[in-house]
Amino acid sequence: MPAPLDVVTDLAHGGRWTSLRHGGREWLWRPESPERDGAAPGDAFVDAGGVEECVPTVRGTPDHGDAWSRPWTREGDGVGETVRCDRFVLTRTLCATDDGVEAAYVLTAEPGFRFLWAAHALLDLSEEAVVRAREGAPTRLFPEAAPLLDRPWPDGAPWLEGSWPAPRGLRLDRFGPDDGTAVGAVVEGGRCCVHDGADRLALAVEAEGQPCSVALWRNLGGFPAGRPYRSTGVEPMLGRVFDLADAGPYDAARVPASGEVRWRLTVTADCRCPQ
């Protein structure tokens, strides 16, 4: 039976996952970011790596959402972890499983509230790492990919759609060496697996009645302008876009009449590749 994954979180600084370890392998990329300690709502995003809980948007306003800069609290049962934002409350319950970890989420808000959520996981991956998702899955490319395509980007288009693993001819399943590019994509379906040498990491999100996807951020030294660095994100999400402002009627999660949305994230070292 595979060994479980060990998870460490930092409730005081946005509930961020600061470690995801399997045996001797640390999966999370964690740069030195001391300025994160003093971040408060309204501040510019501080990239501290790990896994950020991005909600109610990823890009846009507020950048990386409204939860990353707020302290989380542990509920009376000692299990649930909660962050309270202006328009919603999010509670996360983490528990170990035989082969990994499961996170159960409940978002409470007024019925009709629309949001995106992403487990914004920045992984410490080698140049040989491969991401596997369902072959042919609809995949959205975003405008930063324009210089890498063999045709002009249509004026005003928030995204272009193709098929995994090479939407519009741009191969995305391999990270490779730094080449000065940065590309974001969203793959429909909430399941993927990362292969890096002999190591495997499977991620999956499930939410009844809500759009589930996996976002990919392949920054090979192309972002940010002026001081670029390498960061590789594999991010289970609710929604199909990065910016809530771009979301069409079926591109974001929506709170039903009950006032609650529930979903589950599973992360395992036993890789069951999507078919």
Side-chain angles (χ1 to χ4, degrees), residues 177-182 218-225 227-232:
D178 291 0
D179 61 8
T181 66
R218 193 182 72 180
N219 174 24
L220 305 179
F223 176 89
R227 298 183 64 186
Y229 51 82
R230 181 186 179 96
S231 58
T232 48

Side-chain angles (χ1 to χ4, degrees), residues 57-139:
T57 191
V58 183
R59 298 180 183 178
T61 305
D63 186 20
H64 286 73
D66 199 24
W68 73 268
S69 58
R70 296 177 184 268
W72 292 48
T73 58
R74 184 157 281 123
E75 297 301 289
D77 59 10
V79 178
E81 302 164 346
T82 296
V83 61
R84 300 180 184 277
C85 299
D86 292 341
R87 298 189 61 193
F88 64 90
V89 176
L90 178 65
T91 296
R92 174 185 71 195
T93 303
L94 286 166
C95 66
T97 63
D98 288 341
D99 58 357
V101 64
E102 179 178 297
Y105 294 86
V106 182
L107 183 140
T108 305
E110 290 292 324
F113 177 71
R114 301 177 77 226
F115 67 96
L116 306 174
W117 164 85
H120 186 277
L122 295 180
L123 303 182
D124 187 6
L125 301 177
S126 75
E127 295 180 359
E128 286 72 41
V130 176
V131 179
R132 296 191 177 177
R134 181 173 60 84
E135 189 82 15
T139 303

Side-chain angles (χ1 to χ4, degrees), residues 204-270:
V205 60
E206 299 174 274
E208 185 175 355
Q210 307 291 350
C212 295
S213 304
V214 176
L216 180 71
W217 174 240
R218 193 182 72 180
N219 174 24
L220 305 179
F223 176 89
R227 298 183 64 186
Y229 51 82
R230 181 186 179 96
S231 58
T232 48
V234 181
E235 310 168 17
M237 71 183 303
L238 300 187
R240 299 189 180 101
V241 293
F242 286 109
D243 190 339
L244 184 60
D246 292 333
Y250 305 105
D251 292 334
R254 184 185 295 272
V255 176
S258 65
E260 289 186 348
V261 176
R262 295 176 177 267
W263 66 95
R264 180 177 63 180
L265 170 68
T266 56
V267 184
T268 70
D270 179 16

Side-chain angles (χ1 to χ4, degrees), residues 43-65:
D43 289 352
F45 179 66
V46 178
D47 193 353
V51 180
E52 302 284 2
E53 301 283 0
C54 292
V55 59
T57 191
V58 183
R59 298 180 183 178
T61 305
D63 186 20
H64 286 73

